[in-house]
């Protein structure tokens, strides 16, 4: 079941990429395993996936231990409270949700202690929703400047969770805005190349608009019992 779902998604990724002249290998699939048990993650690993996304610290830590012997790359895609940094900073390969100076400060401190560098994406609230984390687009320039002193955090791009639209075409202008932001800032910061955007219902559009990382949960693992 999971294997078939993954095959379907990989073929859709290929189609969307080819439709706009992109190399399908330039799109990384992150399987969002939040709320699902370690056994299903192992099933997805056996089907060939290596990158998994989690958004609850406790849920993540349980799976991290159970999957220790597999070569899994963990992506943290949920909001991180500063008091939870200590549990995750040395276990993840990419943080998608850097959204405050306070969080960067705390992360950098812990990373300095162990002399590690963490790759991170800045979360942008591109739909300007009051209930969502992330900085506004007009804050990106200042935020990037503020990040310069945190030598143990390597900012590699931007991430967004846009509003949910019933008609998915309506999300396209927001994805396009994200791409323009990346284009603007990557001209003077060559480390910025990743755009993490697109979920189960809109990843085709995200790819057409330049996503380099898509985060897929439901379409791989099925419906989640609890909503988040
Ligand atoms: C849950 C989640 C996803 C996956 O959403 P699906 O609709 O299940 O594909 C992607 N990104 C983030 C940040 C999430 O929290």
């Amino acid at each position: 079941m999971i294997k078939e779902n993954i095959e379907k998604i990989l073929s859709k990724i290929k189609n969307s990429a080819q439709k706009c002249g992109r190399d399908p290998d330039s799109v990384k699939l992150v399987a969002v395993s939040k709320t699902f048990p370690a056994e299903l993650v192992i099933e997805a690993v056996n089907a060939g996936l290596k990158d998994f996304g989690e958004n609850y610290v406790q849920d993540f830590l349980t799976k991290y231990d159970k999957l220790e012997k597999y070569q899994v790359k963990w992506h943290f895609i949920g909001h991180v409270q500063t008091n939870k940094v200590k549990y995750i900073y040395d276990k993840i390969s990419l943080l998608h949700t850097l959204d405050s100076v306070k969080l960067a400060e705390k992360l950098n401190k812990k990373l300095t202690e162990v002399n590690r560098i963490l790759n991170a994406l800045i979360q942008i609230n591109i739909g300007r929703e009051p209930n969502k984390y992330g900085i506004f687009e007009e804050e990106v320039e200042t935020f990037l400047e503020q990040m310069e002193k945190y030598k143990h955090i390597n900012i590699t791009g931007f991430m967004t969770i846009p509003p949910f639209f019933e008609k998915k075409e309506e999300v396209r202008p927001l994805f396009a805005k994200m791409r323009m932001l990346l284009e603007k800032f990557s001209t003077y910061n060559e480390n910025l190349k990743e755009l993490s955007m697109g979920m189960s219902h809109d990843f085709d559009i995200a790819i057409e608009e330049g996503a380099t990382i898509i985060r897929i949960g439901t379409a791989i693992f099925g419906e989640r019992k609890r909503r988040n």
Side-chain angles (χ1 to χ4, degrees), residues 32 34 55 77 159 161 199-200 215-218 224 228:
V32 178
K34 65 183 185 194
N55 71 341
I77 61 170
M159 174 269 207
I161 310 170
M199 316 200 326
S200 292
R215 312 176 307 262
I216 312 287
T218 316
R224 287 178 294 273
N228 48 64

